[in-house]
Amino acid sequence: MTTPPNTTKAAAFRGIWPALLTPLNADLSIDHTRLAIHCKSLLARGCPGVTSFGTTGEGPSFSMTERKEAIEKLIGNGILASQIMVSTSCAALPETLELTQHAVKLGVHGCLMLPPFFLKGVSDQGVIDSYRYVIDRMGEDLPKLKLYLYHIPQVTGVGLSHQVIRALKQQYPDTILGIKDSACTTAHSVGLAEAFMKDLTVYVGFEPDLPEMGRRGSTGAISGLANFMPRLVSRLVTQPDAPTTASERERVIQLIDLLGAYSLMPALKGIMAMLSGDPTWLRVRAPLVALSAEEFKSLERTILAFGINPDRD
């Protein structure tokens, strides 16, 4: 059954907020200049905002100091705070709290937050208590916090059950605005939409599911592929029944299948290096390993054959 779009959640984000790749200097520090240039390019191509330090952005590989400085420099380099979503997820709750307070004080649109992801097999109550730890300590900044729950259990080993989502929304109805579901399972995303879309916006990170979720009221996405094909990703969710949607969805599936031969984040950075002609995009932080010269040449041949059109995609 199709759920009509919820028109009461004006505060929740709309459109495509790319899950930013993080460019690095030779010493593997963050390249703030390239990051700002990349953000401005995406905003110029129609993205309402960008998302920093999520899974695609290697977020947990950077320290609190680095992550704070990066957001401050993005704003200093001309990106509006309201155009930035920050993943403030850390394994240690006090660090998640500190990053969230910092982001909210800067005036960012919102914060994307994982459950703590070091300990596994924790109970629903433990997950609820973890979010409560952060939210209840926001103090005077709580009314400004827009929080998006982030479900990606294949990476974290800790998921967000319906019970957790329902309890948090009931306790913090003005704070919890949405859910990012990156479990990459259509049935799971549809189940979230059927259970919560009337009260929350459910977004998916798996691009082939965007048309189905768009029909069910989803209004946008935080997408890794949107680093280099933001217009196509936007069309999938905002125009789910357009004549071109089926073929564009199949094109995205083909690209994801092609990338399956590589480690995902290094491959996404490889595409950026190829499209920009800038090999510095190949750099990643451990534990990720950059593409070898042979792997990059193979990826380049694959992507050239596939074809990415910056003016259309």
Side-chain angles (χ1 to χ4, degrees):
M1 179 178 178
T2 299
T3 303
N6 187 335
T7 59
T8 65
K9 302 189 298 292
F13 80 84
R14 303 180 71 87
I16 304 304
W17 292 54
L20 293 171
L21 293 160
T22 306
L24 302 177
N25 295 306
D27 64 358
L28 301 186
S29 61
I30 297 171
D31 187 331
H32 300 291
T33 299
R34 276 190 179 81
L35 183 58
I37 291 170
H38 183 42
C39 290
K40 290 176 182 178
S41 172
L42 291 168
L43 295 172
R45 292 163 74 183
C47 296
V50 293
T51 305
S52 62
F53 297 121
T55 306
T56 305
E58 304 171 67
S61 296
F62 299 98
S63 70
M64 284 199 301
T65 298
E66 290 176 306
R67 290 159 78 170
K68 288 180 181 179
E69 181 186 25
I71 302 305
E72 292 169 4
K73 286 189 175 293
L74 270 184
I75 295 169
N77 283 325
I79 309 301
L80 297 177
S82 60
Q83 294 176 307
I84 302 172
M85 176 91 71
V86 182
S87 175
T88 58
S89 308
C90 299
L93 287 172
E95 294 182 353
T96 300
L97 173 61
E98 188 170 334
L99 286 177
T100 303
Q101 290 172 325
H102 176 262
V104 170
K105 287 183 184 299
L106 289 177
V108 304
H109 165 78
C111 295
L112 184 67
M113 193 180 297
L114 293 165
F117 44 82
F118 178 72
L119 297 174
K120 305 302 186 286
V122 297
S123 66
D124 279 355
Q125 189 59 53
V127 175
I128 293 168
D129 289 347
S130 298
Y131 281 100
R132 290 185 62 193
Y133 179 99
V134 176
I135 299 170
D136 290 347
R137 288 167 173 76
M138 288 299 296
E140 64 182 13
D141 292 324
L142 179 58
K144 296 182 288 185
L145 173 60
K146 298 177 182 178
L147 188 61
Y148 297 85
L149 308 177
Y150 187 7
H151 177 75
I152 183 168
Q154 71 273 29
V155 173
T156 62
V158 181
L160 298 174
S161 70
H162 283 212
Q163 177 182 332
V164 166
I165 297 166
R166 188 172 296 109
L168 289 171
K169 181 60 177 176
Q170 288 174 350
Q171 292 178 50
Y172 306 103
D174 299 323
T175 299
I176 311 290
L177 299 186
I179 309 160
K180 185 194 177 190
D181 180 22
S182 292
C184 302
T185 304
T186 305
H188 184 266
S189 297
V190 169
L192 287 176
E194 292 177 346
F196 299 109
M197 194 71 88
K198 65 181 181 184
D199 299 312
L200 297 167
T201 304
V202 180
Y203 308 91
V204 289
F206 187 55
E207 290 85 359
D209 285 343
L210 287 172
E212 180 63 31
M213 295 303 288
R215 296 181 191 106
R216 293 173 178 273
S218 190
T219 59
I222 297 172
S223 158
L225 297 184
N227 277 280
F228 41 80
M229 48 199 325
R231 296 188 183 96
L232 186 153
V233 173
S234 179
R235 290 193 295 270
L236 288 179
V237 69
T238 61
Q239 304 173 39
D241 296 310
T244 57
T245 297
S247 60
E248 290 191 326
R249 179 179 179 274
E250 286 302 315
R251 191 161 173 258
V252 164
I253 291 172
Q254 180 188 359
L255 177 58
I256 292 172
D257 288 344
L258 292 173
L259 292 176
Y262 307 88
S263 177
L264 182 57
M265 262 61 81
L268 294 177
K269 282 191 161 181
I271 293 176
M272 285 295 300
M274 173 193 159
L275 294 176
S276 66
D278 181 359
T280 65
W281 271 106
L282 291 169
R283 296 170 182 151
V284 297
R285 270 216 184 159
L288 298 180
V289 177
L291 296 177
S292 67
E294 288 186 2
E295 287 173 326
F296 179 60
K297 288 180 182 178
S298 172
L299 177 67
E300 189 173 34
R301 289 192 296 269
T302 297
I303 297 304
L304 282 172
F306 173 80
I308 292 177
N309 184 341
D311 294 327
R312 179 194 64 207
D313 295 337

